[in-house]
Amino acid sequence: MPNSGEEAAELAHRWRMEQMELRSQHEETDRISFTVSEADSTISGLERVGGVDISYPKDLAHEAGGTAVVTLVVLSFPALEVLYEVTESVPIDTPYVAGFLAFREIAAYRQAFARLLSARPQLAPQIVLVDGNGTLHPQRFGSACHLGVALDIATVGVAKNYLHIDDLAGIDARGLKRLFAAPSDDGRCSRDVKLVGTSGVCYGMAVAPAGSDAVNPVFVSVGHRVSLQTAVAVVRACSIHRIPEPIRIADQRSRALLRSIHQEH
């Protein structure tokens, strides 16, 4: 962990350079092994969807040192049944630095995917939902983008909480909740809101998944090798509750092991 302001600045500079290099390889169009209809978002050819999550103990929320838990699950589609899962404790050697979360988590995710590809390569997911942001990020390159580019896999960012970005002036979590709760002219509640900055750049979409009664949206953004339309379609198709099943199950598994570890100590 950096022990001085100078070391912290040097670390952030190094990460920023690496982030820019990875961002140059970022793709925001579909390069996937399934199709999504432009007319009605019907998905064809998708059989396996992944979900990843990392859970931290409270004392590790921002600091380095200690142990967190990573989970990777692979679900069948459209049945959303668990085909594969790995949940394991991982050392956290890197502190949280705003804008660079991926650098804290990428080693754990690499390890989880390596285990999957070694044990059951035939179950490799065709797309992975990441508990975090993709292009909904100050540099339009959050952890879902970083993971996708690093492993050359299709990824989608799905965040439970709204990340404020200066370019998204006038858009806040409270206002979005009110918008989703209020019926439109046809009597239905809003189902999605594009998050477009004052610059005209689209960062992602606030989505209340189809089939969900939630008025509190999730925040969907492009990770890598997918369009925003595909990202939203997959999230909706994987949602029974507010949080899409691959991430909801991964979160449950990682939290359960984390509780068990702390109870033992």
Side-chain angles (χ1 to χ4, degrees):
M1 175 179 175
N3 55 20
S4 73
E6 186 175 320
E7 289 176 341
E10 183 180 339
L11 179 63
H13 175 74
R14 177 158 51 85
W15 282 350
R16 188 173 294 109
M17 294 300 101
E18 185 175 342
Q19 191 179 70
M20 288 174 64
E21 172 59 27
L22 289 168
R23 187 179 170 187
S24 71
Q25 304 168 51
H26 184 221
E27 301 173 32
E28 296 187 49
T29 54
D30 289 334
R31 180 160 65 92
I32 49 180
S33 57
F34 59 95
T35 60
V36 177
S37 166
E38 290 188 12
D40 61 6
S41 295
T42 299
I43 300 173
S44 302
L46 180 59
E47 298 177 352
R48 299 174 307 282
V49 181
V52 291
D53 176 76
I54 295 182
S55 290
Y56 298 92
K58 290 181 180 179
D59 60 347
L60 259 188
H62 293 88
E63 302 300 321
T67 300
V69 174
V70 62
T71 294
L72 162 64
V73 297
V74 181
L75 273 55
S76 63
F77 185 87
L80 302 177
E81 297 174 344
V82 176
L83 301 175
Y84 174 90
E85 64 179 276
V86 57
T87 300
E88 56 190 359
S89 60
V90 291
I92 297 299
D93 302 320
T94 306
Y96 170 75
V97 178
F100 300 101
L101 176 63
F103 290 90
R104 193 181 202 205
E105 300 185 336
I106 188 65
Y109 285 147
R110 281 186 185 276
Q111 180 175 307
F113 276 93
R115 291 195 186 284
L116 164 63
L117 295 177
S118 174
R120 304 288 297 277
Q122 72 276 19
L123 294 181
Q126 294 163 272
I127 191 167
V128 177
L129 306 189
V130 180
D131 186 1
N133 288 302
T135 53
L136 182 55
H137 180 271
Q139 304 301 320
R140 296 193 77 253
F141 198 79
S143 55
C145 303
H146 191 125
L147 176 63
V149 172
L151 299 186
D152 191 26
I153 57 177
T155 57
V156 176
V158 185
K160 304 178 186 78
N161 299 308
Y162 177 65
L163 177 66
H164 173 76
I165 296 171
D166 288 345
D167 190 35
L168 291 169
I171 300 176
D172 60 40
R174 209 172 274 179
L176 286 168
K177 284 184 182 180
R178 285 196 299 268
L179 183 61
F180 274 77
S184 58
D185 292 340
D186 61 6
R188 296 182 301 175
C189 294
S190 300
R191 302 312 295 166
D192 55 59
V193 176
K194 268 193 174 181
L195 302 172
V196 179
T198 55
S199 64
V201 169
C202 180
Y203 290 86
M205 189 172 288
V207 174
S212 168
D213 293 329
V215 297
N216 190 15
V218 291
F219 302 95
V220 179
S221 56
V222 170
H224 182 52
R225 289 176 41 179
V226 296
S227 63
L228 184 57
Q229 177 191 357
T230 292
V232 171
V234 171
V235 167
R236 282 192 172 137
C238 289
S239 295
I240 299 172
H241 308 282
R242 174 183 174 238
I243 308 301
E245 289 299 283
I247 290 178
R248 193 179 72 86
I249 293 172
D251 179 74
Q252 287 179 340
R253 301 292 200 268
S254 64
R255 287 177 184 273
L257 180 55
L258 188 66
R259 284 193 299 270
S260 175
I261 291 171
H262 281 264
Q263 286 169 0
E264 291 174 2
H265 293 81

